[in-house]
mmCIF file with all atom_site columns, all heavy atoms in Angstrom:
data_model
loop_
_atom_site.group_PDB
_atom_site.id
_atom_site.type_symbol
_atom_site.label_atom_id
_atom_site.label_alt_id
_atom_site.label_comp_id
_atom_site.label_asym_id
_atom_site.label_entity_id
_atom_site.label_seq_id
_atom_site.pdbx_PDB_ins_code
_atom_site.Cartn_x
_atom_site.Cartn_y
_atom_site.Cartn_z
_atom_site.occupancy
_atom_site.B_iso_or_equiv
_atom_site.pdbx_formal_charge
_atom_site.auth_seq_id
_atom_site.auth_comp_id
_atom_site.auth_asym_id
_atom_site.auth_atom_id
_atom_site.pdbx_PDB_model_num
ATOM 1   N N   . ILE V 1 39  ? 11.461 9.522  5.061   1.00 0.00 ? 39  ILE V N   1
ATOM 2   C CA  . ILE V 1 39  ? 10.760 8.250  5.322   1.00 0.00 ? 39  ILE V CA  1
ATOM 3   C C   . ILE V 1 39  ? 11.743 7.333  6.062   1.00 0.00 ? 39  ILE V C   1
ATOM 4   O O   . ILE V 1 39  ? 12.915 7.246  5.686   1.00 0.00 ? 39  ILE V O   1
ATOM 5   C CB  . ILE V 1 39  ? 10.309 7.541  4.015   1.00 0.00 ? 39  ILE V CB  1
ATOM 6   C CG1 . ILE V 1 39  ? 9.604  8.513  3.047   1.00 0.00 ? 39  ILE V CG1 1
ATOM 7   C CG2 . ILE V 1 39  ? 9.385  6.370  4.345   1.00 0.00 ? 39  ILE V CG2 1
ATOM 8   C CD1 . ILE V 1 39  ? 9.195  7.884  1.713   1.00 0.00 ? 39  ILE V CD1 1
ATOM 9   N N   . VAL V 1 43  ? 13.959 -3.033 9.716   1.00 0.00 ? 43  VAL V N   1
ATOM 10  C CA  . VAL V 1 43  ? 13.714 -4.426 9.326   1.00 0.00 ? 43  VAL V CA  1
ATOM 11  C C   . VAL V 1 43  ? 12.330 -4.863 9.801   1.00 0.00 ? 43  VAL V C   1
ATOM 12  O O   . VAL V 1 43  ? 11.585 -5.513 9.068   1.00 0.00 ? 43  VAL V O   1
ATOM 13  C CB  . VAL V 1 43  ? 14.806 -5.341 9.933   1.00 0.00 ? 43  VAL V CB  1
ATOM 14  C CG1 . VAL V 1 43  ? 14.416 -6.806 9.817   1.00 0.00 ? 43  VAL V CG1 1
ATOM 15  C CG2 . VAL V 1 43  ? 16.143 -5.110 9.249   1.00 0.00 ? 43  VAL V CG2 1
ATOM 16  N N   . HIS V 1 48  ? 8.068  3.430  6.769   1.00 0.00 ? 48  HIS V N   1
ATOM 17  C CA  . HIS V 1 48  ? 6.992  3.991  7.578   1.00 0.00 ? 48  HIS V CA  1
ATOM 18  C C   . HIS V 1 48  ? 7.319  5.437  7.947   1.00 0.00 ? 48  HIS V C   1
ATOM 19  O O   . HIS V 1 48  ? 8.437  5.903  7.749   1.00 0.00 ? 48  HIS V O   1
ATOM 20  C CB  . HIS V 1 48  ? 6.786  3.163  8.858   1.00 0.00 ? 48  HIS V CB  1
ATOM 21  C CG  . HIS V 1 48  ? 8.004  3.151  9.747   1.00 0.00 ? 48  HIS V CG  1
ATOM 22  N ND1 . HIS V 1 48  ? 9.045  2.289  9.549   1.00 0.00 ? 48  HIS V ND1 1
ATOM 23  C CD2 . HIS V 1 48  ? 8.344  3.921  10.821  1.00 0.00 ? 48  HIS V CD2 1
ATOM 24  C CE1 . HIS V 1 48  ? 9.982  2.510  10.465  1.00 0.00 ? 48  HIS V CE1 1
ATOM 25  N NE2 . HIS V 1 48  ? 9.582  3.501  11.237  1.00 0.00 ? 48  HIS V NE2 1
ATOM 26  N N   . ARG V 1 51  ? 6.951  11.651 5.837   1.00 0.00 ? 51  ARG V N   1
ATOM 27  C CA  . ARG V 1 51  ? 6.588  12.989 6.311   1.00 0.00 ? 51  ARG V CA  1
ATOM 28  C C   . ARG V 1 51  ? 7.311  14.092 5.556   1.00 0.00 ? 51  ARG V C   1
ATOM 29  O O   . ARG V 1 51  ? 8.408  13.888 5.033   1.00 0.00 ? 51  ARG V O   1
ATOM 30  C CB  . ARG V 1 51  ? 6.876  13.130 7.807   1.00 0.00 ? 51  ARG V CB  1
ATOM 31  C CG  . ARG V 1 51  ? 8.339  12.872 8.156   1.00 0.00 ? 51  ARG V CG  1
ATOM 32  C CD  . ARG V 1 51  ? 8.485  12.495 9.621   1.00 0.00 ? 51  ARG V CD  1
ATOM 33  N NE  . ARG V 1 51  ? 9.890  12.392 10.034  1.00 0.00 ? 51  ARG V NE  1
ATOM 34  C CZ  . ARG V 1 51  ? 10.610 11.259 9.951   1.00 0.00 ? 51  ARG V CZ  1
ATOM 35  N NH1 . ARG V 1 51  ? 10.089 10.155 9.445   1.00 0.00 ? 51  ARG V NH1 1
ATOM 36  N NH2 . ARG V 1 51  ? 11.866 11.249 10.357  1.00 0.00 ? 51  ARG V NH2 1
ATOM 37  N N   . TYR V 1 55  ? 13.070 21.892 6.687   1.00 0.00 ? 55  TYR V N   1
ATOM 38  C CA  . TYR V 1 55  ? 14.459 21.595 6.319   1.00 0.00 ? 55  TYR V CA  1
ATOM 39  C C   . TYR V 1 55  ? 15.351 21.875 7.529   1.00 0.00 ? 55  TYR V C   1
ATOM 40  O O   . TYR V 1 55  ? 15.191 22.885 8.194   1.00 0.00 ? 55  TYR V O   1
ATOM 41  C CB  . TYR V 1 55  ? 14.895 22.483 5.143   1.00 0.00 ? 55  TYR V CB  1
ATOM 42  C CG  . TYR V 1 55  ? 16.308 22.210 4.688   1.00 0.00 ? 55  TYR V CG  1
ATOM 43  C CD1 . TYR V 1 55  ? 16.547 21.312 3.661   1.00 0.00 ? 55  TYR V CD1 1
ATOM 44  C CD2 . TYR V 1 55  ? 17.392 22.815 5.322   1.00 0.00 ? 55  TYR V CD2 1
ATOM 45  C CE1 . TYR V 1 55  ? 17.842 21.025 3.262   1.00 0.00 ? 55  TYR V CE1 1
ATOM 46  C CE2 . TYR V 1 55  ? 18.690 22.527 4.938   1.00 0.00 ? 55  TYR V CE2 1
ATOM 47  C CZ  . TYR V 1 55  ? 18.909 21.634 3.907   1.00 0.00 ? 55  TYR V CZ  1
ATOM 48  O OH  . TYR V 1 55  ? 20.185 21.347 3.523   1.00 0.00 ? 55  TYR V OH  1
ATOM 49  N N   . ALA V 1 107 ? 23.036 -3.062 -0.563  1.00 0.00 ? 107 ALA V N   1
ATOM 50  C CA  . ALA V 1 107 ? 22.325 -3.796 0.497   1.00 0.00 ? 107 ALA V CA  1
ATOM 51  C C   . ALA V 1 107 ? 21.455 -2.874 1.352   1.00 0.00 ? 107 ALA V C   1
ATOM 52  O O   . ALA V 1 107 ? 21.407 -2.978 2.584   1.00 0.00 ? 107 ALA V O   1
ATOM 53  C CB  . ALA V 1 107 ? 23.319 -4.578 1.369   1.00 0.00 ? 107 ALA V CB  1
ATOM 54  N N   . ARG V 1 155 ? 27.910 -5.124 8.499   1.00 0.00 ? 155 ARG V N   1
ATOM 55  C CA  . ARG V 1 155 ? 26.823 -5.831 7.821   1.00 0.00 ? 155 ARG V CA  1
ATOM 56  C C   . ARG V 1 155 ? 25.787 -4.787 7.404   1.00 0.00 ? 155 ARG V C   1
ATOM 57  O O   . ARG V 1 155 ? 25.841 -3.648 7.854   1.00 0.00 ? 155 ARG V O   1
ATOM 58  C CB  . ARG V 1 155 ? 26.192 -6.894 8.726   1.00 0.00 ? 155 ARG V CB  1
ATOM 59  C CG  . ARG V 1 155 ? 25.624 -6.348 10.016  1.00 0.00 ? 155 ARG V CG  1
ATOM 60  C CD  . ARG V 1 155 ? 24.354 -7.108 10.439  1.00 0.00 ? 155 ARG V CD  1
ATOM 61  N NE  . ARG V 1 155 ? 23.895 -6.715 11.761  1.00 0.00 ? 155 ARG V NE  1
ATOM 62  C CZ  . ARG V 1 155 ? 23.246 -5.581 12.044  1.00 0.00 ? 155 ARG V CZ  1
ATOM 63  N NH1 . ARG V 1 155 ? 23.026 -4.684 11.096  1.00 0.00 ? 155 ARG V NH1 1
ATOM 64  N NH2 . ARG V 1 155 ? 22.853 -5.326 13.280  1.00 0.00 ? 155 ARG V NH2 1
ATOM 65  N N   . LEU V 1 184 ? 42.071 13.861 -18.369 1.00 0.00 ? 184 LEU V N   1
ATOM 66  C CA  . LEU V 1 184 ? 42.143 12.402 -18.483 1.00 0.00 ? 184 LEU V CA  1
ATOM 67  C C   . LEU V 1 184 ? 42.880 11.817 -17.284 1.00 0.00 ? 184 LEU V C   1
ATOM 68  O O   . LEU V 1 184 ? 44.006 12.195 -16.991 1.00 0.00 ? 184 LEU V O   1
ATOM 69  C CB  . LEU V 1 184 ? 42.894 12.037 -19.771 1.00 0.00 ? 184 LEU V CB  1
ATOM 70  C CG  . LEU V 1 184 ? 43.216 10.554 -19.933 1.00 0.00 ? 184 LEU V CG  1
ATOM 71  C CD1 . LEU V 1 184 ? 41.950 9.745  -20.125 1.00 0.00 ? 184 LEU V CD1 1
ATOM 72  C CD2 . LEU V 1 184 ? 44.180 10.345 -21.097 1.00 0.00 ? 184 LEU V CD2 1
ATOM 73  N N   . GLY V 1 194 ? 32.782 -5.696 -11.094 1.00 0.00 ? 194 GLY V N   1
ATOM 74  C CA  . GLY V 1 194 ? 32.178 -6.232 -9.874  1.00 0.00 ? 194 GLY V CA  1
ATOM 75  C C   . GLY V 1 194 ? 32.025 -5.205 -8.756  1.00 0.00 ? 194 GLY V C   1
ATOM 76  O O   . GLY V 1 194 ? 31.506 -5.519 -7.685  1.00 0.00 ? 194 GLY V O   1
ATOM 77  N N   . GLY V 1 195 ? 32.503 -3.999 -8.988  1.00 0.00 ? 195 GLY V N   1
ATOM 78  C CA  . GLY V 1 195 ? 32.416 -2.948 -7.957  1.00 0.00 ? 195 GLY V CA  1
ATOM 79  C C   . GLY V 1 195 ? 31.081 -2.228 -7.987  1.00 0.00 ? 195 GLY V C   1
ATOM 80  O O   . GLY V 1 195 ? 30.076 -2.773 -8.465  1.00 0.00 ? 195 GLY V O   1
ATOM 81  N N   . VAL V 1 279 ? 22.794 5.299  -33.716 1.00 0.00 ? 279 VAL V N   1
ATOM 82  C CA  . VAL V 1 279 ? 23.288 5.340  -32.337 1.00 0.00 ? 279 VAL V CA  1
ATOM 83  C C   . VAL V 1 279 ? 24.089 4.073  -32.062 1.00 0.00 ? 279 VAL V C   1
ATOM 84  O O   . VAL V 1 279 ? 23.627 2.974  -32.379 1.00 0.00 ? 279 VAL V O   1
ATOM 85  C CB  . VAL V 1 279 ? 22.079 5.437  -31.369 1.00 0.00 ? 279 VAL V CB  1
ATOM 86  C CG1 . VAL V 1 279 ? 22.489 5.133  -29.960 1.00 0.00 ? 279 VAL V CG1 1
ATOM 87  C CG2 . VAL V 1 279 ? 21.427 6.814  -31.454 1.00 0.00 ? 279 VAL V CG2 1
ATOM 88  N N   . PHE V 1 302 ? 30.157 15.568 -26.247 1.00 0.00 ? 302 PHE V N   1
ATOM 89  C CA  . PHE V 1 302 ? 29.517 16.304 -25.162 1.00 0.00 ? 302 PHE V CA  1
ATOM 90  C C   . PHE V 1 302 ? 29.359 15.442 -23.915 1.00 0.00 ? 302 PHE V C   1
ATOM 91  O O   . PHE V 1 302 ? 29.377 14.213 -23.985 1.00 0.00 ? 302 PHE V O   1
ATOM 92  C CB  . PHE V 1 302 ? 28.172 16.906 -25.600 1.00 0.00 ? 302 PHE V CB  1
ATOM 93  C CG  . PHE V 1 302 ? 27.125 15.926 -26.063 1.00 0.00 ? 302 PHE V CG  1
ATOM 94  C CD1 . PHE V 1 302 ? 26.313 15.258 -25.160 1.00 0.00 ? 302 PHE V CD1 1
ATOM 95  C CD2 . PHE V 1 302 ? 26.935 15.704 -27.427 1.00 0.00 ? 302 PHE V CD2 1
ATOM 96  C CE1 . PHE V 1 302 ? 25.331 14.379 -25.593 1.00 0.00 ? 302 PHE V CE1 1
ATOM 97  C CE2 . PHE V 1 302 ? 25.948 14.812 -27.873 1.00 0.00 ? 302 PHE V CE2 1
ATOM 98  C CZ  . PHE V 1 302 ? 25.143 14.147 -26.948 1.00 0.00 ? 302 PHE V CZ  1
ATOM 99  N N   . ALA V 1 315 ? 38.189 20.055 -25.293 1.00 0.00 ? 315 ALA V N   1
ATOM 100 C CA  . ALA V 1 315 ? 39.518 19.446 -25.353 1.00 0.00 ? 315 ALA V CA  1
ATOM 101 C C   . ALA V 1 315 ? 39.720 18.442 -24.232 1.00 0.00 ? 315 ALA V C   1
ATOM 102 O O   . ALA V 1 315 ? 39.095 18.537 -23.174 1.00 0.00 ? 315 ALA V O   1
ATOM 103 C CB  . ALA V 1 315 ? 40.582 20.541 -25.242 1.00 0.00 ? 315 ALA V CB  1
#
Side-chain angles (χ1 to χ4, degrees):
I39 313 177
V43 167
H48 62 277
R51 58 202 187 271
Y55 181 93
R155 59 145 172 76
L184 172 67
V279 166
F302 60 83

